């Protein structure tokens, strides 16, 4: 091993303890009224079909690995198809605006704004985003991740998820990082799994779980700084639909009441009965500790630019003695993305809870 390789092997990486939320997730019940749940689901049913999360957010496997964590064995060329999972996504809001007047009260939710303020012990909060995930039977425990955060000047409107997540993992951009809180609610009637697994003390400590029943149960949480994942759900034999690809879609099943189906190029890959359908609603708010923090965010007097971000990264890499080729396009250069992932990735969680016990669950 060369001296340079030895230095790199012993350089301090991002400590896993960096990835901890501001507070333990807080469980609430009845996040939405029955009427609100019905109206949200009506919007979903009337505005599909919907694409895989993977297909919407990532242009390469390197970007996905930078967002999730970890890596592949040396010599293995990653592709997005290696990470296919039948979880689909749509949006109730965009650019901070509710897209559907019939659910305006769900987005501009006074209760959620108060929960976000209290979670951070802050003076102000405002709704930022609202999206939903749709899935049937699915494996969950192998995909722990953090959600996309944002920074003053660097948001989902001008930067990819992998970059923002790498920024948060590095700890180099705390001065600009937005304070965020989510209210994440689940609707799932299945008997096998379907809960929420999270690592509140960092990815190298023991996980915790919130178990089903998940009908209207929610957590208030800072998911940008906490590894988490869905618990596996549904019969194990149905969790990996044959033929799933980056072009697969989910839509209501016209042949069954309350059912859904996954399709690909017009072919039906899987019919999902209502009992096995898992609907997640993700409301996100931005929090401001005081008026001074609110003002600097809104007047853009201390915003980052993308050039500043990469200048800070490259200066830190040089200070650490890390070799890298300065990229012409750092947003898409796979080797540079891999280098940032290697240096700033705190590593995958070390401990996982056991999979849900299918035979026991089916007899309950």
């Amino acid at each position: 091993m060369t001296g340079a390789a030895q230095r790199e092997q012993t350089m301090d990486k991002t400590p896993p303890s960096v990835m901890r939320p501001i507070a333990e997730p807080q469980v609430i019940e009845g996040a939405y009224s029955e009427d609100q749940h019905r109206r949200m689901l009506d919007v979903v049913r009337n505005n599909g079909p919907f694409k895989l999360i993977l297909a919407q957010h990532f242009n390469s496997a390197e970007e996905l690995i930078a967002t999730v964590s970890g890596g592949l064995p040396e010599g293995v060329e990653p592709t997005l198809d290696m990470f296919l999972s039948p979880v689909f996504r749509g949006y109730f809001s965009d650019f901070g605006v509710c897209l559907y007047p019939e659910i305006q009260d769900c987005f501009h939710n006074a209760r959620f704004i108060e929960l976000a303020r209290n979670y951070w012990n802050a003076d102000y909060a405002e709704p930022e985003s609202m999206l939903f995930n749709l899935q049937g039977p699915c494996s969950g425990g192998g995909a722990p991740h953090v959600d996309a955060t944002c920074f003053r000047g660097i948001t989902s409107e001008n930067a990819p998820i992998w970059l923002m997540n790498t920024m948060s993992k590095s700890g180099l951009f705390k001065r600009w990082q937005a304070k965020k809180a989510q209210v994440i609610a689940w609707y799932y009637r299945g008997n096998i799994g379907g809960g929420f697994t999270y690592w509140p003390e960092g990815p190298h400590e023991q996980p915790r779980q919130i178990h089903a029943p998940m009908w209207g149960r929610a957590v208030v949480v800072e998911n940008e700084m906490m590894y988490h994942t869905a618990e596996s759900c549904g019969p194990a034999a149905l969790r990996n639909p044959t033929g799933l690809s980056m072009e697969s879609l989910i839509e209501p099943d016209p042949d069954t009441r309350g059912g859904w189906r996954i399709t690909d190029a017009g072919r039906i890959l899987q019919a999902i009965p209502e009992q096995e359908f898992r609907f997640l609603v993700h409301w996100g708010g931005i929090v401001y500790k005081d008026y001074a923090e609110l003002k600097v965010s809104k007047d853009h007097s201390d915003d980052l630019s993308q050039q500043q971000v990469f200048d800070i990264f490259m200066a830190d890499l040089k200070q650490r003695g890390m070799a890298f080729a300065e990229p012409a396009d750092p947003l898409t250069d796979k080797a540079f993305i891999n280098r940032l992932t290697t240096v700033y990735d705190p590593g995958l969680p070390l401990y996982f809870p056991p999979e849900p016990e299918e035979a026991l669950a089916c007899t309950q």
Side-chain angles (χ1 to χ4, degrees):
M1 182 180 291
T2 66
Q6 286 176 327
R7 283 197 302 274
E8 288 202 13
Q9 193 176 62
T10 58
M11 287 298 295
D12 288 339
K13 291 167 65 71
T14 299
S17 58
V18 167
M19 303 307 296
R20 298 176 63 176
I22 189 66
E24 178 82 12
Q26 300 170 1
V27 179
I28 62 172
E29 303 290 350
Y32 297 95
S33 69
E34 291 184 13
D35 176 63
Q36 287 175 320
H37 170 249
R38 177 191 58 77
R39 284 186 279 125
M40 288 189 294
L41 205 50
D42 283 348
V43 167
V44 176
R45 288 187 172 280
N46 293 331
N47 288 279
F50 301 97
K51 296 180 180 179
L52 290 169
I53 293 177
L54 215 60
Q56 297 183 45
H57 294 300
F58 304 104
N59 294 314
S60 70
E62 286 78 8
E63 293 183 12
L64 175 62
I65 292 169
T67 300
V68 181
S69 213
L72 294 174
E74 188 174 349
V76 176
E77 184 70 24
T79 66
L80 283 172
D81 288 343
M82 293 177 179
F83 302 92
L84 280 173
S85 179
V87 185
F88 302 80
R89 173 165 291 174
Y91 298 86
F92 288 136
S93 74
D94 203 0
F95 301 102
V97 176
C98 182
L99 299 176
Y100 304 99
E102 59 267 46
I103 58 167
Q104 193 82 25
D105 58 317
C106 301
F107 181 66
H108 293 283
N109 193 313
R111 180 190 179 196
F112 290 1
I113 291 171
E114 182 179 8
L115 287 167
R117 279 202 313 262
N118 292 341
Y119 181 72
W120 275 91
N121 190 26
D123 291 342
Y124 306 103
E126 62 177 342
E128 177 216 17
S129 62
M130 193 172 183
L131 56 84
F132 54 88
N133 292 351
L134 311 173
Q135 66 178 85
C138 183
S139 299
H145 60 281
V146 291
D147 289 350
T149 189
C150 63
F151 302 78
R152 292 197 296 270
I154 303 293
T155 71
S156 59
E157 295 171 17
N158 62 13
I161 289 176
W162 76 261
L163 176 60
M164 293 183 287
N165 281 13
T166 305
M167 289 169 67
S168 65
K169 292 174 183 177
S170 75
L172 297 172
F173 303 91
K174 277 293 185 183
R175 166 180 152 191
W176 298 275
Q177 187 167 348
K179 294 176 173 65
K180 297 180 74 175
Q182 299 78 39
V183 179
I184 303 173
W186 298 272
Y187 291 86
Y188 173 65
R189 294 196 186 279
N191 293 319
I192 304 169
F196 179 62
T197 303
Y198 59 99
W199 286 261
E201 303 299 326
H204 290 183
E205 302 301 326
Q206 291 291 337
R208 298 174 191 166
Q209 286 189 296
I210 297 170
H211 293 288
M214 303 295 281
W215 197 258
R217 177 168 289 177
V219 290
V220 186
V221 66
E222 186 193 16
N223 260 359
E224 294 82 11
M225 296 302 295
M226 182 182 76
Y227 277 91
H228 59 279
T229 187
E231 183 185 26
S232 298
C233 66
L238 302 179
R239 291 176 190 168
N240 298 294
T242 301
L244 191 73
S245 78
M246 295 291 285
E247 286 72 46
S248 297
L249 302 168
I250 195 171
E251 63 186 10
D253 188 342
D255 298 326
T256 61
R257 180 179 176 84
W260 294 77
R261 66 185 187 185
I262 298 173
T263 66
D264 197 297
R267 297 178 295 114
I268 299 173
L269 304 185
Q270 185 179 58
I272 302 169
E274 185 176 17
Q275 177 78 8
E276 297 298 343
F277 174 64
R278 188 175 186 266
F279 178 41
L280 176 154
V281 183
H282 183 293
W283 179 94
I286 293 187
V287 175
Y288 309 96
K289 291 287 284 185
D290 52 32
Y291 183 77
E293 192 167 271
L294 171 64
K295 184 176 185 300
V296 76
S297 177
K298 296 300 184 181
D299 68 16
H300 302 288
S301 59
D302 188 34
D303 279 9
L304 279 168
S305 68
Q306 282 191 10
Q307 187 59 55
Q308 279 180 281
V309 169
F310 289 115
D311 286 346
I312 290 170
F313 270 134
M314 287 189 278
D316 188 62
L317 290 175
K318 290 174 183 176
Q319 185 176 1
R320 291 168 178 256
M322 296 291 190
F324 68 95
E326 190 161 331
D329 182 2
L331 281 177
T332 60
D333 187 293
K334 293 181 180 180
F336 186 68
I337 293 171
N338 278 337
R339 175 46 106 196
L340 295 181
T341 302
T342 300
V343 174
Y344 301 112
D345 178 18
L348 282 168
L350 296 182
Y351 308 103
F352 288 83
E355 284 286 283
E357 295 187 33
E358 184 168 347
L360 177 62
C362 290
T363 62
Q364 291 179 342

